[in-house]
Amino acid sequence: MHPRFYDFEATFKATTQRGSNMSTSYSSCYHSTTLSTHSLLLSHPKASAFHPSRFPNPSFKFHSTNQIPQTHLRIMSQKPSQVLGGKVEVGETQEGVSKGPMIDFHGIDEGLVEKMVYDALVWSSLHGLLVGDKSVQRSGKVPGVGMVHAPFALFPMLFPECHWKQAYELAPIFNELVDRVSLDAKFLQDSLSRTKKVDAFTSRLLDIHSKMLEINKKEDIRLGLHRSDYMLDEETKQLLQIEMNTISASFPGLGCLVSDLHRSLLNHYGESLGLDSKRVPNNPAATKFVEALAKAWSEYNNPRAVILLVVQPEERNMYDQHWLSALLKERHNVSTLRRTLAEIDAEGKLQPDGTLVVGGHEVAIVYFRVGYAPINYPSESEWRARLLMEQSSAIKCPSISYHLVGTKKIQQELAKPNVLERFLDDKEDIAKLRKCFAGLWSLDDSDIVKKAIESPGLFVMKPQREGGGNNIYGNDVREALTRLQKEGSEADAAYILMQRIFPTASHTFLMREGVCYKDDTISELGVYGAYLRNKDKVILNDQCGYLMRTKISSSDEGGVAAGFAVLDSLYLT
Amino acid sequence: MHPRFYDFEATFKATTQRGSNMSTSYSSCYHSTTLSTHSLLLSHPKASAFHPSRFPNPSFKFHSTNQIPQTHLRIMSQKPSQVLGGKVEVGETQEGVSKGPMIDFHGIDEGLVEKMVYDALVWSSLHGLLVGDKSVQRSGKVPGVGMVHAPFALFPMLFPECHWKQAYELAPIFNELVDRVSLDAKFLQDSLSRTKKVDAFTSRLLDIHSKMLEINKKEDIRLGLHRSDYMLDEETKQLLQIEMNTISASFPGLGCLVSDLHRSLLNHYGESLGLDSKRVPNNPAATKFVEALAKAWSEYNNPRAVILLVVQPEERNMYDQHWLSALLKERHNVSTLRRTLAEIDAEGKLQPDGTLVVGGHEVAIVYFRVGYAPINYPSESEWRARLLMEQSSAIKCPSISYHLVGTKKIQQELAKPNVLERFLDDKEDIAKLRKCFAGLWSLDDSDIVKKAIESPGLFVMKPQREGGGNNIYGNDVREALTRLQKEGSEADAAYILMQRIFPTASHTFLMREGVCYKDDTISELGVYGAYLRNKDKVILNDQCGYLMRTKISSSDEGGVAAGFAVLDSLYLT
């Protein structure tokens, strides 16, 4: 199992920009201790999220009821605090260590939360908001067994409507940018030339890219299913891009269900909470991705061809993918074929005209839900499969060039002055993109390396390696940079430096494995985008809904055990 | 966990009328060896279910494809036979004993079955066709954890449309009969007087009934949510009633999903199979039960009152119940409260006017999903709760008198000559009911006991005890009757004798825990009915969809390990 798909600790792989140990040291520069503004449910004694300025009806006139069996649900806080009632069982934390009885409900009716927890768990089960349970052996291979609800936040996260709209507006511009950059093979090869020397994975991708250039491979139909991830910087109130995912963007299938879940909860409990379910925006991620896939499939123009879903051998996030396959079948009568890279290597064939045939089926689209990280290529077999598919006339989602555009190095290169202008014409579009760029630097910029050694808390070091869990924060930044300087090798080309973003922390209820946890969290907004072009004709270029992920904020990305992330939705303010 | 709700071996508690060891001995009387007529998918060499007379398109022109990872699915036959392909893993049988590689597909494309198996498992997961996995500790207590697809048949079961319509037509007549009989307290007490002496459980129920008579308890609003179960006798081609469930009729929530699943599968694969998804009748069980509950709740006429779902402490069939609660909330804005009998004993209060209050909520309806078997009353606490609720002015579903009408002894009494006439006026209705009655006898009928000792294979001995797993078949009937005769006590009053029904056996694919089994099966059709009356006004008297259960036919009911049952739907012929 690779972390990107199911391990929420690691899937929340973007720069989680505030570690609890850091926030104190650097709070003079970056206001990271204000805990109130984005919290929907806040029991922190310093602040109340239900401030009248945020909610029309801040009163808590709950019925003091408890509609659930009292001994079955566990609600826990990450922080030890007093037990307020006898109804809460002691559970294990995500680290597997019991921290004793902990519950901390200030201002919100405990019975109401318990009812919502129960209803939310039921809703998830009945509506397919599921993942495989890693404690059940077959849960990553066989559907229908070893299922558990996907981790989710009990309440939607407050988010300013203007920033949400801004992120939506950016989606088609980024879609176009990816397409334009992908056409500039020299830019890609040159930008990644130093990375290639020190990063074997990028090197292999570039090799495939080079081979396609050599054979002058044409890609008439170009399909991009992207997700651009953002955080809201607390001090500047700016929406800043974390990264652009051009391959295997996950959770279009499950993320939209969380919006439905939150609307359902607010329909029933919103009045008591003073919250309006209409403020949770509809999230069409699954249907829009499926529409894009179906449109691309139509462009391929063979009603017997299938969509090949390239998957991991074990995939506990399979239901996220099954939602897309099910919708493709039900609404568009398009069949999907699930295969691992190794299976494609064994079964796949290219016909003389370039047609890709797998398992006896002509493949219209290769839709990658794996293949973005070195761990996905344990042997030459997987690389052979990747090359085979790239050589074919199937539509690749993504093509090797789209994949390369999504690397961190290219992200950093695009942030350099006058680079966007090479690819886009519209000055307004360029300004919009630039506005969401965080500071991004190469390690051959000695001034910035000096600054980062002086103030490592203001930077994140990001390696090319994908999949999360690889970023370097805090004093580790200083150590890593100092070591690289001493070594004087090219190894620094494997990293970029990024401005550290300090998003607002909130108190949140997080649901995992049937247990409700309460802790400080930060959130990251992803906006899906779909782009489809056939030769000169742009058929589709649109936003496709959103993904909100909320994560315990005391954990840097590096520590898998330090916290966990859940699926979330937005409450527009 | 009580077997009635989740253990499909035992929930299939009706007289499963044909044991493999019996069928040979008595085939001269009861044709039990014909394996073809009701089988949809039949690999038995003697017959083909896809006979032109049954299916418009019997040809098997499948694409020889395999759209699923090859090593993940297990398809097994209960009978050892040759492996036809290398794609099928060996798994354990339901007895936990591996029978080695077994697969037996005659005539049907293996790849097609594998695709359908995979799609069906995905469909179940995404659409809430779930139960708790008994191997996961919290799965009976906390929703959203330890889930596994409910056991289901891969294909709908062939069933004659005329018999399906007959069963639907009987539902409102049985509803009325139950109501009428429930009004005749003397008939109930007299009929059960001998049973009372030897069956402690029936005795306790009768005590509550007597107390209600003493206090002259009025039940103005009467709600019945019943299920009448039938089997189709192979020789006589008659639809014969197995029993009438007037309490805790299970699977209205999940059963209807199986019809949706089968229609979805036939929409995609029906053409290859020569099957038309329109022949699977729509099954409105969940929505109709929910409508009946909502109508009764309206009659109670307090918008703040809730429906109390009386449940087991551990309930792995909770999703069947959650579907009803979710629909009540979503469609009718009616809240439900889940409580065990012990919790009701602890929390429940009667106000001076008879209002039942549990957990601070006024209860409009007590809807029992437990309470039908001795095991549900492990202490006096549970009996106190039952009495408390019966004394209240809440609507009971069912009341103690409705519950008693559903006993096997009353079923047998109603089958006596001239008894139906005491309760119903319409001669046609009476004739319709009588037509579906199997032979039913008291053990004080010495002629029939003599016959049963001579030919035990033609009879089933049924104890009053509910919950399945208690019936006596075959030579055990002879032994039991002989022993009872010798003892000469009143113990025989704990049993009735019933004609043994021999339904047609079919080859079927059964899905359990992600594994596909193939075996001979028999099926039982249940038809739900709802009855609602407020004083003289009959508000509702209707059929409410169906439940088809299919069970491995080599098992008598007595042997829990001998076979298992799955949820199924109908394919009308």
Side-chain angles (χ1 to χ4, degrees), chain B residues 508-533:
Chain B
T508 312
F509 291 88
L510 309 115
M511 296 297 310
R512 195 170 73 158
E513 294 172 8
V515 180
C516 183
Y517 299 87
K518 190 156 181 245
D519 209 333
D520 288 342
T521 58
I522 53 172
S523 294
E524 179 177 346
L525 174 69
V527 169
Y528 295 102
Y531 185 85
L532 176 63
R533 176 160 72 81

PDB file of all heavy atoms in Angstrom, chain B residues 508-533:
ATOM      1  N   THR B 508     -27.003 -22.441  -7.737  1.00  0.00           N
ATOM      2  CA  THR B 508     -26.946 -20.992  -7.551  1.00  0.00           C
ATOM      3  C   THR B 508     -25.532 -20.562  -7.182  1.00  0.00           C
ATOM      4  O   THR B 508     -24.791 -21.316  -6.570  1.00  0.00           O
ATOM      5  CB  THR B 508     -27.903 -20.563  -6.417  1.00  0.00           C
ATOM      6  OG1 THR B 508     -29.165 -21.171  -6.626  1.00  0.00           O
ATOM      7  CG2 THR B 508     -28.065 -19.058  -6.360  1.00  0.00           C
ATOM      8  N   PHE B 509     -25.200 -19.324  -7.553  1.00  0.00           N
ATOM      9  CA  PHE B 509     -23.966 -18.698  -7.081  1.00  0.00           C
ATOM     10  C   PHE B 509     -24.298 -17.865  -5.852  1.00  0.00           C
ATOM     11  O   PHE B 509     -25.147 -16.965  -5.932  1.00  0.00           O
ATOM     12  CB  PHE B 509     -23.382 -17.779  -8.161  1.00  0.00           C
ATOM     13  CG  PHE B 509     -22.837 -18.506  -9.356  1.00  0.00           C
ATOM     14  CD1 PHE B 509     -23.654 -18.832 -10.421  1.00  0.00           C
ATOM     15  CD2 PHE B 509     -21.491 -18.859  -9.398  1.00  0.00           C
ATOM     16  CE1 PHE B 509     -23.149 -19.503 -11.534  1.00  0.00           C
ATOM     17  CE2 PHE B 509     -20.981 -19.522 -10.506  1.00  0.00           C
ATOM     18  CZ  PHE B 509     -21.813 -19.847 -11.570  1.00  0.00           C
ATOM     19  N   LEU B 510     -23.645 -18.173  -4.755  1.00  0.00           N
ATOM     20  CA  LEU B 510     -23.906 -17.463  -3.506  1.00  0.00           C
ATOM     21  C   LEU B 510     -22.660 -16.686  -3.093  1.00  0.00           C
ATOM     22  O   LEU B 510     -21.555 -17.239  -3.081  1.00  0.00           O
ATOM     23  CB  LEU B 510     -24.277 -18.458  -2.396  1.00  0.00           C
ATOM     24  CG  LEU B 510     -25.381 -19.470  -2.730  1.00  0.00           C
ATOM     25  CD1 LEU B 510     -24.788 -20.881  -2.722  1.00  0.00           C
ATOM     26  CD2 LEU B 510     -26.530 -19.365  -1.745  1.00  0.00           C
ATOM     27  N   MET B 511     -22.836 -15.437  -2.745  1.00  0.00           N
ATOM     28  CA  MET B 511     -21.701 -14.579  -2.367  1.00  0.00           C
ATOM     29  C   MET B 511     -21.694 -14.399  -0.857  1.00  0.00           C
ATOM     30  O   MET B 511     -22.679 -13.960  -0.272  1.00  0.00           O
ATOM     31  CB  MET B 511     -21.853 -13.200  -3.011  1.00  0.00           C
ATOM     32  CG  MET B 511     -21.802 -13.180  -4.526  1.00  0.00           C
ATOM     33  SD  MET B 511     -20.216 -13.723  -5.176  1.00  0.00           S
ATOM     34  CE  MET B 511     -19.102 -12.721  -4.204  1.00  0.00           C
ATOM     35  N   ARG B 512     -20.574 -14.721  -0.251  1.00  0.00           N
ATOM     36  CA  ARG B 512     -20.413 -14.488   1.178  1.00  0.00           C
ATOM     37  C   ARG B 512     -18.974 -14.116   1.470  1.00  0.00           C
ATOM     38  O   ARG B 512     -18.066 -14.801   1.037  1.00  0.00           O
ATOM     39  CB  ARG B 512     -20.833 -15.714   1.987  1.00  0.00           C
ATOM     40  CG  ARG B 512     -21.017 -15.378   3.461  1.00  0.00           C
ATOM     41  CD  ARG B 512     -21.669 -16.507   4.223  1.00  0.00           C
ATOM     42  NE  ARG B 512     -20.728 -17.600   4.408  1.00  0.00           N
ATOM     43  CZ  ARG B 512     -20.851 -18.512   5.378  1.00  0.00           C
ATOM     44  NH1 ARG B 512     -21.862 -18.453   6.210  1.00  0.00           N
ATOM     45  NH2 ARG B 512     -19.978 -19.478   5.484  1.00  0.00           N
ATOM     46  N   GLU B 513     -18.786 -13.022   2.188  1.00  0.00           N
ATOM     47  CA  GLU B 513     -17.462 -12.551   2.581  1.00  0.00           C
ATOM     48  C   GLU B 513     -16.493 -12.476   1.404  1.00  0.00           C
ATOM     49  O   GLU B 513     -15.326 -12.857   1.506  1.00  0.00           O
ATOM     50  CB  GLU B 513     -16.910 -13.431   3.716  1.00  0.00           C
ATOM     51  CG  GLU B 513     -17.740 -13.275   4.979  1.00  0.00           C
ATOM     52  CD  GLU B 513     -17.381 -14.257   6.078  1.00  0.00           C
ATOM     53  OE1 GLU B 513     -16.374 -14.985   5.947  1.00  0.00           O
ATOM     54  OE2 GLU B 513     -18.111 -14.296   7.079  1.00  0.00           O
ATOM     55  N   GLY B 514     -17.007 -11.999   0.284  1.00  0.00           N
ATOM     56  CA  GLY B 514     -16.168 -11.785  -0.881  1.00  0.00           C
ATOM     57  C   GLY B 514     -15.850 -13.032  -1.665  1.00  0.00           C
ATOM     58  O   GLY B 514     -15.088 -12.987  -2.624  1.00  0.00           O
ATOM     59  N   VAL B 515     -16.423 -14.167  -1.280  1.00  0.00           N
ATOM     60  CA  VAL B 515     -16.159 -15.436  -1.962  1.00  0.00           C
ATOM     61  C   VAL B 515     -17.448 -15.902  -2.626  1.00  0.00           C
ATOM     62  O   VAL B 515     -18.534 -15.801  -2.057  1.00  0.00           O
ATOM     63  CB  VAL B 515     -15.659 -16.505  -0.958  1.00  0.00           C
ATOM     64  CG1 VAL B 515     -15.387 -17.824  -1.670  1.00  0.00           C
ATOM     65  CG2 VAL B 515     -14.409 -16.024  -0.245  1.00  0.00           C
ATOM     66  N   CYS B 516     -17.313 -16.407  -3.833  1.00  0.00           N
ATOM     67  CA  CYS B 516     -18.468 -16.915  -4.578  1.00  0.00           C
ATOM     68  C   CYS B 516     -18.528 -18.432  -4.454  1.00  0.00           C
ATOM     69  O   CYS B 516     -17.583 -19.131  -4.814  1.00  0.00           O
ATOM     70  CB  CYS B 516     -18.348 -16.509  -6.044  1.00  0.00           C
ATOM     71  SG  CYS B 516     -19.748 -17.007  -7.051  1.00  0.00           S
ATOM     72  N   TYR B 517     -19.618 -18.932  -3.917  1.00  0.00           N
ATOM     73  CA  TYR B 517     -19.828 -20.366  -3.786  1.00  0.00           C
ATOM     74  C   TYR B 517     -20.897 -20.796  -4.787  1.00  0.00           C
ATOM     75  O   TYR B 517     -21.772 -20.015  -5.127  1.00  0.00           O
ATOM     76  CB  TYR B 517     -20.324 -20.724  -2.378  1.00  0.00           C
ATOM     77  CG  TYR B 517     -19.372 -20.369  -1.276  1.00  0.00           C
ATOM     78  CD1 TYR B 517     -19.390 -19.101  -0.705  1.00  0.00           C
ATOM     79  CD2 TYR B 517     -18.458 -21.293  -0.785  1.00  0.00           C
ATOM     80  CE1 TYR B 517     -18.515 -18.763   0.316  1.00  0.00           C
ATOM     81  CE2 TYR B 517     -17.585 -20.968   0.233  1.00  0.00           C
ATOM     82  CZ  TYR B 517     -17.610 -19.707   0.785  1.00  0.00           C
ATOM     83  OH  TYR B 517     -16.754 -19.386   1.793  1.00  0.00           O
ATOM     84  N   LYS B 518     -20.804 -22.033  -5.192  1.00  0.00           N
ATOM     85  CA  LYS B 518     -21.834 -22.546  -6.088  1.00  0.00           C
ATOM     86  C   LYS B 518     -22.378 -23.823  -5.496  1.00  0.00           C
ATOM     87  O   LYS B 518     -21.601 -24.718  -5.138  1.00  0.00           O
ATOM     88  CB  LYS B 518     -21.221 -22.817  -7.458  1.00  0.00           C
ATOM     89  CG  LYS B 518     -22.248 -23.107  -8.502  1.00  0.00           C
ATOM     90  CD  LYS B 518     -21.713 -22.794  -9.883  1.00  0.00           C
ATOM     91  CE  LYS B 518     -22.763 -23.058 -10.914  1.00  0.00           C
ATOM     92  NZ  LYS B 518     -22.355 -24.157 -11.784  1.00  0.00           N
ATOM     93  N   ASP B 519     -23.684 -23.924  -5.397  1.00  0.00           N
ATOM     94  CA  ASP B 519     -24.241 -25.117  -4.781  1.00  0.00           C
ATOM     95  C   ASP B 519     -25.725 -25.242  -5.118  1.00  0.00           C
ATOM     96  O   ASP B 519     -26.333 -24.327  -5.635  1.00  0.00           O
ATOM     97  CB  ASP B 519     -24.061 -25.062  -3.262  1.00  0.00           C
ATOM     98  CG  ASP B 519     -23.945 -26.447  -2.642  1.00  0.00           C
ATOM     99  OD1 ASP B 519     -24.495 -27.414  -3.215  1.00  0.00           O
ATOM    100  OD2 ASP B 519     -23.304 -26.564  -1.593  1.00  0.00           O
ATOM    101  N   ASP B 520     -26.284 -26.377  -4.767  1.00  0.00           N
ATOM    102  CA  ASP B 520     -27.735 -26.564  -4.858  1.00  0.00           C
ATOM    103  C   ASP B 520     -28.403 -25.765  -3.763  1.00  0.00           C
ATOM    104  O   ASP B 520     -27.949 -25.773  -2.614  1.00  0.00           O
ATOM    105  CB  ASP B 520     -28.096 -28.046  -4.659  1.00  0.00           C
ATOM    106  CG  ASP B 520     -27.696 -28.900  -5.850  1.00  0.00           C
ATOM    107  OD1 ASP B 520     -27.477 -28.323  -6.926  1.00  0.00           O
ATOM    108  OD2 ASP B 520     -27.594 -30.127  -5.687  1.00  0.00           O
ATOM    109  N   THR B 521     -29.461 -25.112  -4.123  1.00  0.00           N
ATOM    110  CA  THR B 521     -30.141 -24.270  -3.141  1.00  0.00           C
ATOM    111  C   THR B 521     -31.648 -24.420  -3.255  1.00  0.00           C
ATOM    112  O   THR B 521     -32.170 -24.871  -4.271  1.00  0.00           O
ATOM    113  CB  THR B 521     -29.826 -22.782  -3.387  1.00  0.00           C
ATOM    114  OG1 THR B 521     -30.227 -22.436  -4.712  1.00  0.00           O
ATOM    115  CG2 THR B 521     -28.355 -22.480  -3.194  1.00  0.00           C
ATOM    116  N   ILE B 522     -32.314 -24.001  -2.176  1.00  0.00           N
ATOM    117  CA  ILE B 522     -33.767 -23.835  -2.212  1.00  0.00           C
ATOM    118  C   ILE B 522     -34.070 -22.414  -1.767  1.00  0.00           C
ATOM    119  O   ILE B 522     -33.233 -21.776  -1.113  1.00  0.00           O
ATOM    120  CB  ILE B 522     -34.487 -24.847  -1.295  1.00  0.00           C
ATOM    121  CG1 ILE B 522     -33.908 -24.786   0.120  1.00  0.00           C
ATOM    122  CG2 ILE B 522     -34.379 -26.247  -1.867  1.00  0.00           C
ATOM    123  CD1 ILE B 522     -34.675 -25.605   1.132  1.00  0.00           C
ATOM    124  N   SER B 523     -35.244 -21.934  -2.146  1.00  0.00           N
ATOM    125  CA  SER B 523     -35.564 -20.544  -1.860  1.00  0.00           C
ATOM    126  C   SER B 523     -36.885 -20.404  -1.136  1.00  0.00           C
ATOM    127  O   SER B 523     -37.774 -21.253  -1.258  1.00  0.00           O
ATOM    128  CB  SER B 523     -35.624 -19.740  -3.159  1.00  0.00           C
ATOM    129  OG  SER B 523     -34.342 -19.692  -3.748  1.00  0.00           O
ATOM    130  N   GLU B 524     -36.979 -19.307  -0.398  1.00  0.00           N
ATOM    131  CA  GLU B 524     -38.189 -19.007   0.369  1.00  0.00           C
ATOM    132  C   GLU B 524     -38.576 -17.555   0.086  1.00  0.00           C
ATOM    133  O   GLU B 524     -37.741 -16.660   0.157  1.00  0.00           O
ATOM    134  CB  GLU B 524     -37.882 -19.203   1.856  1.00  0.00           C
ATOM    135  CG  GLU B 524     -39.046 -18.912   2.765  1.00  0.00           C
ATOM    136  CD  GLU B 524     -38.712 -19.205   4.232  1.00  0.00           C
ATOM    137  OE1 GLU B 524     -37.689 -19.873   4.506  1.00  0.00           O
ATOM    138  OE2 GLU B 524     -39.466 -18.742   5.100  1.00  0.00           O
ATOM    139  N   LEU B 525     -39.834 -17.386  -0.242  1.00  0.00           N
ATOM    140  CA  LEU B 525     -40.332 -16.040  -0.540  1.00  0.00           C
ATOM    141  C   LEU B 525     -41.073 -15.487   0.671  1.00  0.00           C
ATOM    142  O   LEU B 525     -42.008 -16.115   1.167  1.00  0.00           O
ATOM    143  CB  LEU B 525     -41.287 -16.087  -1.742  1.00  0.00           C
ATOM    144  CG  LEU B 525     -42.003 -14.778  -2.075  1.00  0.00           C
ATOM    145  CD1 LEU B 525     -41.034 -13.730  -2.607  1.00  0.00           C
ATOM    146  CD2 LEU B 525     -43.131 -15.020  -3.087  1.00  0.00           C
ATOM    147  N   GLY B 526     -40.675 -14.331   1.126  1.00  0.00           N
ATOM    148  CA  GLY B 526     -41.441 -13.629   2.168  1.00  0.00           C
ATOM    149  C   GLY B 526     -42.099 -12.411   1.553  1.00  0.00           C
ATOM    150  O   GLY B 526     -41.505 -11.751   0.707  1.00  0.00           O
ATOM    151  N   VAL B 527     -43.329 -12.159   1.944  1.00  0.00           N
ATOM    152  CA  VAL B 527     -43.994 -10.936   1.476  1.00  0.00           C
ATOM    153  C   VAL B 527     -44.343 -10.085   2.695  1.00  0.00           C
ATOM    154  O   VAL B 527     -44.985 -10.555   3.639  1.00  0.00           O
ATOM    155  CB  VAL B 527     -45.241 -11.256   0.626  1.00  0.00           C
ATOM    156  CG1 VAL B 527     -46.064  -9.991   0.367  1.00  0.00           C
ATOM    157  CG2 VAL B 527     -44.816 -11.871  -0.698  1.00  0.00           C
ATOM    158  N   TYR B 528     -43.841  -8.851   2.658  1.00  0.00           N
ATOM    159  CA  TYR B 528     -44.104  -7.941   3.767  1.00  0.00           C
ATOM    160  C   TYR B 528     -45.511  -7.370   3.660  1.00  0.00           C
ATOM    161  O   TYR B 528     -46.029  -7.165   2.552  1.00  0.00           O
ATOM    162  CB  TYR B 528     -43.103  -6.774   3.753  1.00  0.00           C
ATOM    163  CG  TYR B 528     -41.676  -7.188   3.985  1.00  0.00           C
ATOM    164  CD1 TYR B 528     -40.776  -7.279   2.925  1.00  0.00           C
ATOM    165  CD2 TYR B 528     -41.225  -7.485   5.270  1.00  0.00           C
ATOM    166  CE1 TYR B 528     -39.463  -7.654   3.133  1.00  0.00           C
ATOM    167  CE2 TYR B 528     -39.916  -7.866   5.488  1.00  0.00           C
ATOM    168  CZ  TYR B 528     -39.032  -7.945   4.419  1.00  0.00           C
ATOM    169  OH  TYR B 528     -37.737  -8.314   4.633  1.00  0.00           O
ATOM    170  N   GLY B 529     -46.083  -7.105   4.808  1.00  0.00           N
ATOM    171  CA  GLY B 529     -47.390  -6.468   4.839  1.00  0.00           C
ATOM    172  C   GLY B 529     -47.441  -5.432   5.945  1.00  0.00           C
ATOM    173  O   GLY B 529     -46.816  -5.612   6.995  1.00  0.00           O
ATOM    174  N   ALA B 530     -48.160  -4.357   5.698  1.00  0.00           N
ATOM    175  CA  ALA B 530     -48.335  -3.337   6.735  1.00  0.00           C
ATOM    176  C   ALA B 530     -49.822  -3.095   6.956  1.00  0.00           C
ATOM    177  O   ALA B 530     -50.604  -3.026   5.993  1.00  0.00           O
ATOM    178  CB  ALA B 530     -47.652  -2.042   6.320  1.00  0.00           C
ATOM    179  N   TYR B 531     -50.179  -3.000   8.223  1.00  0.00           N
ATOM    180  CA  TYR B 531     -51.574  -2.773   8.595  1.00  0.00           C
ATOM    181  C   TYR B 531     -51.596  -1.672   9.634  1.00  0.00           C
ATOM    182  O   TYR B 531     -50.836  -1.702  10.607  1.00  0.00           O
ATOM    183  CB  TYR B 531     -52.156  -4.060   9.181  1.00  0.00           C
ATOM    184  CG  TYR B 531     -53.629  -3.986   9.496  1.00  0.00           C
ATOM    185  CD1 TYR B 531     -54.594  -4.240   8.521  1.00  0.00           C
ATOM    186  CD2 TYR B 531     -54.072  -3.678  10.787  1.00  0.00           C
ATOM    187  CE1 TYR B 531     -55.945  -4.192   8.811  1.00  0.00           C
ATOM    188  CE2 TYR B 531     -55.431  -3.626  11.086  1.00  0.00           C
ATOM    189  CZ  TYR B 531     -56.364  -3.882  10.088  1.00  0.00           C
ATOM    190  OH  TYR B 531     -57.698  -3.820  10.379  1.00  0.00           O
ATOM    191  N   LEU B 532     -52.454  -0.677   9.418  1.00  0.00           N
ATOM    192  CA  LEU B 532     -52.569   0.417  10.387  1.00  0.00           C
ATOM    193  C   LEU B 532     -54.033   0.777  10.549  1.00  0.00           C
ATOM    194  O   LEU B 532     -54.738   1.061   9.571  1.00  0.00           O
ATOM    195  CB  LEU B 532     -51.769   1.641   9.901  1.00  0.00           C
ATOM    196  CG  LEU B 532     -51.871   2.913  10.755  1.00  0.00           C
ATOM    197  CD1 LEU B 532     -51.313   2.693  12.159  1.00  0.00           C
ATOM    198  CD2 LEU B 532     -51.150   4.074  10.072  1.00  0.00           C
ATOM    199  N   ARG B 533     -54.461   0.747  11.795  1.00  0.00           N
ATOM    200  CA  ARG B 533     -55.858   1.063  12.083  1.00  0.00           C
ATOM    201  C   ARG B 533     -55.906   1.998  13.273  1.00  0.00           C
ATOM    202  O   ARG B 533     -55.162   1.827  14.248  1.00  0.00           O
ATOM    203  CB  ARG B 533     -56.610  -0.242  12.383  1.00  0.00           C
ATOM    204  CG  ARG B 533     -58.054  -0.060  12.797  1.00  0.00           C
ATOM    205  CD  ARG B 533     -58.843  -1.357  12.599  1.00  0.00           C
ATOM    206  NE  ARG B 533     -58.501  -2.401  13.570  1.00  0.00           N
ATOM    207  CZ  ARG B 533     -58.994  -2.447  14.819  1.00  0.00           C
ATOM    208  NH1 ARG B 533     -59.802  -1.504  15.270  1.00  0.00           N
ATOM    209  NH2 ARG B 533     -58.662  -3.434  15.623  1.00  0.00           N
TER     210      ARG B 533
END
